[in-house]
Amino acid sequence: NAGVTQTPKFQVLKTGQSMTLQCAQDMNHEYMSWYRQDPGMGLRLIHYSVGAGITDQGEVPNGYNVSRSTTEDFPLRLLSAAPSQTSVYFCASRSPANHRDNEQFFGPGTRLTVL
Amino acid sequence: LAKTTQPISMDSYEGQEVNITCSHNNIATNDYITWYQQFPSQGPRFIIQGYKTKVTNEVASLFIPADRKSSTLSLPRVSLSDTAVYYCLVGTQGGSEKLVFGKGTKLTVNP
């Protein structure tokens, strides 16, 4: 299993540009989440999904959109990039039926810089 | 969501046992205590989870007193490769996507 994969690894955007961060998992996990991590900070939840077609907002959802059309994929869209969105973005997944309750599997991250 | 408090940083030396304590005074009855480890430029990795008393796996031990208002992650005989940030999280039974990662504890293991 590849686990949780994220693309791209690095991205530089100009203010106002839009883009989609890709996340995929091959473990058939129902739950998927997006976090952002700023320097010296913990992770903050952006959006999450408990299954295909079901998404909900986390702690910092503004400026981001998500959709979940398949179990495997959970893309994160930046609508109009702003310098405040410069961060490292992590995607995570888990299966409450197969793993310990709070055990999430994280991807390697996407480092995004907005100029 | 129960808030957690843990030291910002800790220093240790190779071969020593390291204990990181987390305070969670408002823990709910159904909450589990979970610890993650994060190396630079990587996503967090699950280490251990417990509800009460003691849990041990191949990586660490987790001690939880009877009142569950705190917990201690114990890393036996640390090595340089244990240098990382350690996060304590408290979440509801059945899991919650709204687990809160605080700033964690940056552990530095020195030679």
Side-chain angles (χ1 to χ4, degrees):
Chain A
N1 285 351
V4 179
T5 57
Q6 293 184 238
T7 55
K9 285 186 168 50
F10 301 93
Q11 183 70 50
V12 178
L13 292 177
K14 294 181 179 178
T15 297
Q17 287 184 315
S18 63
M19 80 158 296
T20 300
L21 279 63
Q22 301 292 343
C23 175
Q25 52 92 6
D26 60 359
M27 299 174 282
N28 201 32
H29 286 175
E30 300 94 327
Y31 291 15
M32 297 185 74
S33 303
W34 275 103
Y35 294 85
R36 61 177 288 174
Q37 184 171 37
D38 301 316
M41 304 291 288
L43 283 76
R44 291 185 291 170
L45 182 66
I46 304 172
H47 285 285
Y48 65 97
S49 169
V50 298
I54 306 171
T55 64
D56 203 349
Q57 296 181 349
E59 180 185 358
V60 287
N62 292 340
Y64 308 95
N65 272 359
V66 293
S67 61
R68 183 103 179 265
S69 56
T70 67
T71 300
E72 295 78 17
D73 301 298
F74 191 42
L76 178 72
R77 283 181 287 277
L78 279 68
L79 308 173
S80 178
S84 61
Q85 293 179 305
T86 293
S87 189
V88 180
Y89 291 83
F90 289 103
C91 179
S93 74
R94 71 180 182 92
S95 173
N98 297 334
H99 299 289
R100 288 160 287 208
D101 284 357
N102 296 327
E103 181 175 8
Q104 294 195 75
F105 296 82
F106 283 83
T110 293
R111 189 175 297 273
L112 175 68
T113 301
V114 182
L115 302 175
Chain B
L1 294 171
K3 181 180 177 181
T4 60
T5 303
Q6 49 184 126
I8 295 295
S9 63
M10 294 183 67
D11 281 280
S12 183
Y13 292 93
E14 284 190 289
Q16 289 189 332
E17 178 185 74
V18 171
N19 295 311
I20 306 174
T21 298
C22 179
S23 168
H24 29 79
N25 291 322
N26 296 324
I27 190 169
T29 302
N30 291 336
D31 282 345
Y32 279 72
I33 300 153
T34 311
W35 286 80
Y36 280 80
Q37 174 191 57
Q38 185 179 26
F39 297 115
S41 301
Q42 294 186 25
R45 182 176 72 108
F46 175 96
I47 301 177
I48 197 167
Q49 178 175 286
Y51 183 79
K52 61 181 179 180
T53 62
K54 177 184 175 182
V55 179
T56 297
N57 61 23
E58 64 279 4
V59 175
S61 294
L62 178 60
F63 298 92
I64 306 168
D67 67 5
R68 305 201 326 123
K69 293 184 183 301
S70 66
S71 59
T72 299
L73 175 73
S74 180
L75 305 171
R77 297 180 298 282
V78 295
S79 64
L80 296 177
S81 62
D82 292 315
T83 292
V85 177
Y86 293 83
Y87 297 96
C88 166
L89 289 78
V90 174
T92 58
Q93 186 178 18
S96 168
E97 280 10 73
K98 294 190 175 183
L99 290 177
V100 176
F101 284 80
K103 294 184 180 182
T105 298
K106 180 172 173 53
L107 172 66
T108 303
V109 180
N110 301 293

